[in-house]
């Protein structure tokens, strides 16, 4: 017990020093800002907020190696629907079908239990202070830093929303069957650029999907073409073996980055896209546009540079979408309930 906690403290110290080092080093990067959000927003009201969240993440990461993927996707799905206001966490009620039960989220968005755990601990130390929306944003960055050494700042001060509608998740979250034009429109609706689209799609270098999402690409691409020609023959064969023709609804998991065994956070996704080894039609669509394809090639060239820096900038930008601040919104007590 003593030993474990000593080990824990020294790990924490090392991580904090690393954070300061990386933060100092990262000053050359120009991150987007918001007038009402600051990194030290909770300095007076809940100075231990960051440590509390971090502590929960360390423990949960040990139990679930796919947690980084789940928390990054949770952040994306929160921000694209009514802004980063934690509306993704609200459960459906008899009178309301919430975002969580929307098509892109149902049975596939995960990590909510970890946010709930962090919120419980925060409520013990600083009741009613830290928003669920800020916990999602902090968790997405911290889990990447913890597992991959990727740093970017997280401006804080978001407040929580009280509206969550499945129909808005269906309308605003991009489809894995989307073409380039549709993806650009979906990102532009959030104030995000074509570069942001390409850079943020790089998150598909970790995590999993399910056969149901890729089935059409493998077996029923169009009335005349069985298999999407954008897939390499070898990758198509591999997916077909996992997702057989007679099981269109199969929930078998497939790794998004099949070439590297999944959980490295690196630019390998872009090589996969170029090699016909990316899972979704929306991934392959990135090289159907010449300037997006050029960026895919640039990002794929080296594993972390310039991918990490660009990814950090785009994550900060995504984290500022339609945030509620000041007296807008609320601080929910329990993240899943209004
Ligand atoms: C560009 C449009 C995008 C589309 C169409 C898309 C679609 C999808 C789909 C269908 C899945 C698999 C869900 C499942 O089968 O359970 C998935 C997984 C994932 N997506 Fe995206 N996504 C997009 C952009 C993004 C962005 C911007 C991020 C974050 C910055 C992201 C992060 C992830 C992660 C990390 C996973 C793996 C989740 C896990 O392992 O639990 N995606 N995405
Ligand atoms: C993209 O999809 C939309 C909707 O299906 C379609 O109208 C459009 O022509 C497609 N664009 C391209 C470039 O294929
Ligand atoms: C910042 O907060 C002030 C005061 O609450 C508010 O009037 C203003 O609209 C906010 N700015 C943004 C960009 O949200």
């Amino acid at each position: 017990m003593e030993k474990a906690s000593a080990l824990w403290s020294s790990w924490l110290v090392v991580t904090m020093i690393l954070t300061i080092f990386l933060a100092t080093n990262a000053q050359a990067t120009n991150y987007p800002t918001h007038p009402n959000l600051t990194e030290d927003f909770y300095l007076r009201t809940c100075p231990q907020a960051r440590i509390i969240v971090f502590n929960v993440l360390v423990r949960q990461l040990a139990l679930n190696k796919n947690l980084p993927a789940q928390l990054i996707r949770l952040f994306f799905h929160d921000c694209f629907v009514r802004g980063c206001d934690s509306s993704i966490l609200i459960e459906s009620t008899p009178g309301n079908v919430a975002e969580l039960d929307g098509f892109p989220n149902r049975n596939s968005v995960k990590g909510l239990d970890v946010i709930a755990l962090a919120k419980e601990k925060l409520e013990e130390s600083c009741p009613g202070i830290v928003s669920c929306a800020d916990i999602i944003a902090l968790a997405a960055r911290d889990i990447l830093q913890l597992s991959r050494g990727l740093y970017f700042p997280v401006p804080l001060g978001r407040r929580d929303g009280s509206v969550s509608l499945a129909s808005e998740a269906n309308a605003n979250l991009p489809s894995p069957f989307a073409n380039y034009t549709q993806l650009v429109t979906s990102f532009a609706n959030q104030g995000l650029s074509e570069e942001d689209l390409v850079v943020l799609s790089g998150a598909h270098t970790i995590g999993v999907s399910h056969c149901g999402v890729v089935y059409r690409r493998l077996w029923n691409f169009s009335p005349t073409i069985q298999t999407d020609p954008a897939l390499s023959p070898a990758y198509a064969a591999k997916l077909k073996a996992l997702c057989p023709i007679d099981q269109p609804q199969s929930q078998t998991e497939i790794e998004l980055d099949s070439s590297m065994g999944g959980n490295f956070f690196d630019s390998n996704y872009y090589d996969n896209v170029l090699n016909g080894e990316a899972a979704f039609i929306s991934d392959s669509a990135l090289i159907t546009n010449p300037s997006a394809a050029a960026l895919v090639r640039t990002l794929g060239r080296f594993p972390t540079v310039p991918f990490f820096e660009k990814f950090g900038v785009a994550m900060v930008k995504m984290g500022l979408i339609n945030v509620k601040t000041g007296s807008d919104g609320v601080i929910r007590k329990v993240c899943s309930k209004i």
Side-chain angles (χ1 to χ4, degrees), residues 56-68 143 146-147:
V56 168
L57 294 177
V58 172
R59 279 151 206 266
Q60 295 301 310
L61 180 62
L63 304 174
N64 173 6
K65 75 171 174 53
N66 203 32
L67 191 58
I143 201 76
L146 192 57
S147 59

Side-chain angles (χ1 to χ4, degrees), residues 34-36 325-326:
H34 182 288
N36 296 347
T325 61

Side-chain angles (χ1 to χ4, degrees), residues 166-177:
S167 57
E168 293 185 346
N170 295 338
N172 290 306
L173 289 164
S175 154
F177 307 105

